[in-house]
């Protein structure tokens, strides 16, 4: 895991720059605030900027917009292309190349679109989905979160030494390796969406801070036939579930205003979950009390007793 590589650098390296760069990456990886390290930004070439909270700022705009699924706005890339053209943007331009006025215009257009899709009581929290602090590696004009995503891709390929070199020397990860990972991830996402099309969604209730929240889940239990199909047609790579539980909010069967759980049968139940940020902003809803690790995206394992308690909505 990327967190293991970062810990190894922090515990065994003698160079302050490498240590603090690793600490900053680690906190961002966990979706935590990094402002406590602000005094180190200049030496590390990190720039803080009020910006749009869209992933893929070095990707074409139409693709960056299609990745946003906190509130799914576009069913496909064609819709995002049309939206951009109708509002005077070049779909193939990139967020890093837009000036501040263009970024504000695009952000407000997206915000207006979001507010038509969510309950009124959440509207005042919607700007937090679009506008906020972003951090860039100045020499690459790359957002740190995108840099972390590339490092994580290399970790999934078990290229730990390469990840460590990238962090210590602030190198860009090998794009060929990143692309190799993305192809494998895309295959798992396609297989999952196909499975989701044919599965029934389960529904249950969570109780947190004396409030109840409806949520949805799927339970993946592999039969012998499923395993045979996996050998023939390919199977979902388990390491991709933390990403898949996020991309699932773009699927029409999944309610993006409810927590979503993927439960995978094993010796214990492997759990991957996502809680909408709007619920976090308004209700301070976290899933850590369910013996899960993370923030917004969660993972962990449950025994059968915990699984049954969850499925039946017990307090």
């Amino acid at each position: 895991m990327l967190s293991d590589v970062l810990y190894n650098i922090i515990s065994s390296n003698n160079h302050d720059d490498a240590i603090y760069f690793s600490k900053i990456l680690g906190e961002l990886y966990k979706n935590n605030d990094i402002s406590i390290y602000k005094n180190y930004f200049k030496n590390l070439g990190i720039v803080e900027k009020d910006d749009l909270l869209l992933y893929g700022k070095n990707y074409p705009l139409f693709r960056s917009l299609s990745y946003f699924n906190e509130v799914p706005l576009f069913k496909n890339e064609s819709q995002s292309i049309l939206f951009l053209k109708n509002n005077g943007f070049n779909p193939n331009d990139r967020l890093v190349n837009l000036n501040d006025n263009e970024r504000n215009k695009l952000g407000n257009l997206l915000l207006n679109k979001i507010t038509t899709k969510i309950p009124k009581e959440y509207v005042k929290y919607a700007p937090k989905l679009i506008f906020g602090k972003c951090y860039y590696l100045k020499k690459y004009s790359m957002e740190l979160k995108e840099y972390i995503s590339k490092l994580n891709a290399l970790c999934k390929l078990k290229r730990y030494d390469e990840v460590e070199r990238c962090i210590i020397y602030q190198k860009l990860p090998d794009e060929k390796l990143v692309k190799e990972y993305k192809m494998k991830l895309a295959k798992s996402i396609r297989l999952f969406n196909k499975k989701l099309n044919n599965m029934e969604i389960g529904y249950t209730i969570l109780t947190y801070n004396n409030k109840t929240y409806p949520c949805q889940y799927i339970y993946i239990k592999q039969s012998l036939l499923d395993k045979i199909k996996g050998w023939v047609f390919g199977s979902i790579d388990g390491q991709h579930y933390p990403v898949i539980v996020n991309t699932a909010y773009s699927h029409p069967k999944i309610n993006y205003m409810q927590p979503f759980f993927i439960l995978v049968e094993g010796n214990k139940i492997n759990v991957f979950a996502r809680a909408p940020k709007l619920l976090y902003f308004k209700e301070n809803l976290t899933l850590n009390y369910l013996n899960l690790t993370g923030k917004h995206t969660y993972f962990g394992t449950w025994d059968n007793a915990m699984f049954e308690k969850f499925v039946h909505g017990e307090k």
Side-chain angles (χ1 to χ4, degrees), residues 11 24 36 39 48 50 190 215 244 252 275:
S11 61
I24 288 168
I36 59 171
N39 290 339
E48 179 185 80
D50 290 321
R190 286 195 302 271
C215 67
I244 288 172

Side-chain angles (χ1 to χ4, degrees), residues 69 192-193 196 199-204 206 214-220 241 243-251 253-263 271-276 279 285 287 292 296-298 302 310:
N69 71 343
F192 176 79
N193 286 337
L196 192 55
M199 290 188 72
E200 287 191 13
I201 305 296
Y203 297 94
T204 186
L206 293 181
C215 67
Q216 56 212 318
Y217 68 91
I218 62 167
Y219 180 41
I220 298 176
Y241 277 119
V243 177
I244 288 172
V245 78
N246 283 309
T247 62
Y249 272 128
S250 297
H251 196 284
K253 288 179 73 172
I254 304 302
N255 186 331
Y256 57 84
M257 287 299 297
Q258 295 180 6
F260 173 57
F261 291 73
I262 300 174
L263 310 175
V271 183
F272 307 91
R274 174 75 176 174
L279 288 181
L285 176 65
L287 303 181
L292 299 176
H296 307 313
T297 302
Y298 303 85
W302 289 346
F310 168 79

Side-chain angles (χ1 to χ4, degrees), residues 106-152:
L106 180 58
N108 284 310
L109 287 167
L110 294 172
L111 184 59
N112 291 338
K113 198 170 178 64
I114 288 171
T115 57
T116 66
K117 292 179 172 288
I118 60 177
K120 290 182 179 179
E121 62 268 28
Y122 291 95
V123 167
K124 72 176 183 178
Y125 302 97
K128 292 184 177 183
L129 298 178
I130 296 294
F131 299 101
K133 296 289 184 186
C134 293
Y135 303 90
Y136 288 83
L137 273 178
K138 186 177 180 180
K139 63 181 176 181
Y140 300 125
S141 296
M142 177 179 289
E143 190 181 7
L144 271 182
K145 284 195 172 182
E146 186 174 338
Y147 184 72
I148 290 169
S149 177
K150 292 176 183 289
L151 294 176
N152 198 39

